[in-house]
Amino acid sequence: MSAGHSVEKIGGTSMAATATLFDNVLIAGRSGADLYQRIFVVSAYGGMTDLLLENKKTGEPGVYGRFVADDDANGWREAMARVQAAMRERNAAMFARAESRAEADAFVDRRIASVGACLEDLARLRSHGRFCVKEQLVTVRELLAGIGEAHSAHSTALLLRDRDVNAQFVDLTLWDQDDLRSLDQRIGDAFAAIDLSRVLPIVTGYAGCEGGMVSRYARGYTEMTFSRLAVLTGAREAIIHKEFHLSSADPRLVGVDKARKIGRTNYDVADQLANLGMEAIHPGAGRGLRQSGIPLRVRNTFDREDGGTLVTGDYMSEKPRIEIVTGIRQLQALQFFEQDMVGVKGYDTAILDLLARHRLWIVSKASNANTITHYLNASAEAVAGAIAELQAMYPDAAVSAHPVAMVAAIGSDISRPGLVPDALAALGEAGVTMLAMQHQIRNVDVQFVVDCGDFDAAVRALHHALIEREASISEDRRAA
């Protein structure tokens, strides 16, 4: 494997902006040897995985959802036809060369037909009633997920070849193979004979492997492929291309003119962002890069000249400061109260085991003498099941849950004196009532729990007080 290469992941929204992607990332003024020593891991085009599985934000069912529901015999078939039409429409918008477009369409047609045939077989078995296909639904989800990345990677490689770039489509989906090797083995086999000094690999973000990528990493599977590729090939840098800069807050909330690019931070901060569900990098993917000492760069696809934000393991801000204000609009605060808990061991372990069985994501927790509170990133319905089981285990306890929002101020070093009083004053001035607060000794984040309806106001207030005001003071001092 060649030394000095980068491994770069392109998000779905960036993939959909094809012309900009080629101008700013894939080609970006390069020629000759400068085009190589890079590996690109691509997501499906924006919206395509939603059509295949389900809409990530609204939950509207795609092919998978329609097949599982089985409420309309033709529902999943119509959904699959919509996917095929959407992929062909995408090809039509991208390819100027008729021969390449025809090749891209034929590729899509073959994949859709093959996976569709598998679903037809399962549908026939299910219609007999004596057969249970529930166990096969996991495989169905995996097969469908891989179609999106196969389409985008194949089309991107074709488009690059039309521009005289020696691009190679690297298909990790294992869509028609039975042996499911580990992800590391799959990557090793695929790259054993690739010379990065002369070949530009375009790799599917989905990889067919033991355990299933979607089952293990949900919709973060592309970043796991990206991370393992960087680690296994010894990349000098891992780069994620997104549709925005990694900023001090959501520009839509605080204003584009007020949000600031972070520029530098560390993996500790990246972990906090991942814990809050912010799409910087999947926690498992970040872990592999950090352990291997590979720096991560997050770049804005639409800002070609900007170097983005560099994430390393050893970075620490020169002086204590907040780097980002973010959070979750709705969590479930699961509160367990047992008067006789004082001095008795075992409650915490039992609750954690139960939450793990119910596969509930714990964002944060707090406890005192007789109360344990878990802040869960889960639906009220999912938490209700856990509450029922907890109540059965501890009939004398009071167990309840209610929706709350969490806003966190995060930085590589937030040990600034007066930080918490300033934050509380800002929330008070904005009319936001704080329900709870947590500040860890490690000084990486401080979390404020507020009513769901106060989320936007809390983000704006904390960003203004802890980032905008601090930056203004620093600028005034430099001017003086």
Side-chain angles (χ1 to χ4, degrees), residues 16 50 54 80 82 128 130 147 153 210 214 220 229 287 320:
D50 289 344
E54 64 278 320
M80 186 73 95
R82 284 194 292 273
H128 289 288
R130 296 178 63 87
I147 297 176
E210 61 181 0
V214 183
L229 251 171
R287 187 180 306 119

Side-chain angles (χ1 to χ4, degrees), residues 336-345 347 368-372:
F336 179 95
F337 170 79
E338 169 61 89
Q339 192 76 62
D340 297 328
M341 188 191 305
V342 184
V344 180
K345 296 181 179 179
Y347 284 92
N368 61 18
N370 52 27
T371 305
I372 300 173

Side-chain angles (χ1 to χ4, degrees), residues 126-427:
R126 182 165 56 183
S127 68
H128 289 288
R130 296 178 63 87
F131 294 92
C132 179
V133 300
K134 185 176 181 180
E135 293 181 0
Q136 297 302 323
L137 292 180
V138 174
T139 302
V140 169
R141 191 168 176 82
E142 298 286 334
L143 282 173
L144 288 169
I147 297 176
E149 276 77 18
H151 168 227
S152 60
H154 181 265
S155 292
T156 302
L158 277 179
L159 287 166
L160 283 164
R161 289 178 205 164
D162 286 348
R163 291 163 172 78
D164 297 323
V165 178
N166 187 26
Q168 179 175 328
F169 168 49
V170 180
D171 188 2
L172 299 182
T173 63
L174 278 172
W175 70 285
D176 60 350
Q177 296 183 32
D178 295 327
D179 65 308
L180 293 184
R181 289 159 282 176
S182 71
L183 176 59
D184 286 4
Q185 289 174 321
R186 184 75 181 112
I187 290 171
D189 292 345
F191 279 82
I194 294 178
D195 180 357
L196 294 181
S197 68
R198 304 167 66 175
V199 175
L200 184 62
I202 308 299
V203 188
T204 56
Y206 177 86
C209 60
E210 61 181 0
M213 292 290 280
V214 183
S215 298
R216 294 167 66 186
Y217 308 113
R219 298 283 280 267
Y221 55 81
T222 304
E223 291 184 358
M224 288 306 303
T225 303
F226 155 76
S227 173
R228 293 311 300 165
L229 251 171
V231 171
L232 294 172
T233 61
R236 61 172 173 77
E237 189 172 73
I239 303 172
I240 294 179
H241 298 277
K242 303 178 80 71
E243 70 272 22
F244 49 76
H245 281 297
L246 192 56
S247 302
S248 57
D250 185 342
R252 294 168 296 184
L253 272 183
V254 302
V256 175
D257 58 325
K258 295 182 176 66
R260 299 167 182 267
K261 184 188 72 175
I262 293 177
R264 287 294 307 274
T265 193
N266 61 29
Y267 279 111
D268 204 346
V269 169
D271 288 343
Q272 308 311 319
L273 296 178
N275 186 51
L276 291 168
M278 184 174 176
E279 297 181 351
I281 186 169
H282 188 282
R287 187 180 306 119
L289 297 176
R290 172 176 51 78
Q291 291 174 346
S292 299
I294 299 173
L296 168 69
R297 189 179 298 276
V298 181
R299 298 194 64 180
N300 184 340
T301 303
F302 300 90
D303 193 349
R304 172 172 162 175
E305 303 304 323
D306 195 288
T309 293
L310 185 65
V311 182
T312 58
D314 58 357
Y315 174 77
M316 186 71 70
S317 58
E318 294 181 358
K319 65 176 185 177
R321 69 185 180 99
I322 298 298
E323 295 170 5
I324 185 168
V325 175
T326 187
I328 303 178
R329 289 184 177 276
Q330 182 166 309
L331 298 170
Q332 293 295 319
L334 174 63
Q335 184 169 280
F336 179 95
F337 170 79
E338 169 61 89
Q339 192 76 62
D340 297 328
M341 188 191 305
V342 184
V344 180
K345 296 181 179 179
Y347 284 92
D348 200 31
T349 300
I351 295 171
L352 287 171
D353 287 345
L354 184 146
L355 296 178
R357 288 200 307 275
H358 283 260
R359 303 183 72 176
L360 299 175
W361 181 273
I362 302 171
V363 174
S364 187
K365 62 173 287 191
S367 64
N368 61 18
N370 52 27
T371 305
I372 300 173
T373 303
H374 285 89
Y375 298 100
L376 307 173
N377 192 356
S379 68
E381 292 76 15
V383 175
I387 289 176
E389 190 172 337
L390 269 176
Q391 199 70 76
M393 291 169 58
Y394 300 100
D396 294 331
V399 189
S400 62
H402 60 277
V404 297
M406 178 179 288
V407 180
I410 306 170
S412 52
D413 177 10
I414 65 168
S415 60
R416 175 176 73 76
L419 170 65
V420 172
D422 288 349
L424 294 178
L427 291 175

Side-chain angles (χ1 to χ4, degrees), residues 86-109:
M87 289 183 171
R88 278 177 153 265
E89 184 178 351
R90 168 64 56 185
N91 289 344
M94 294 187 300
F95 287 96
R97 188 168 175 268
E99 293 86 347
S100 295
R101 177 184 170 185
E103 185 176 345
D105 285 346
F107 178 85
V108 166
D109 294 345

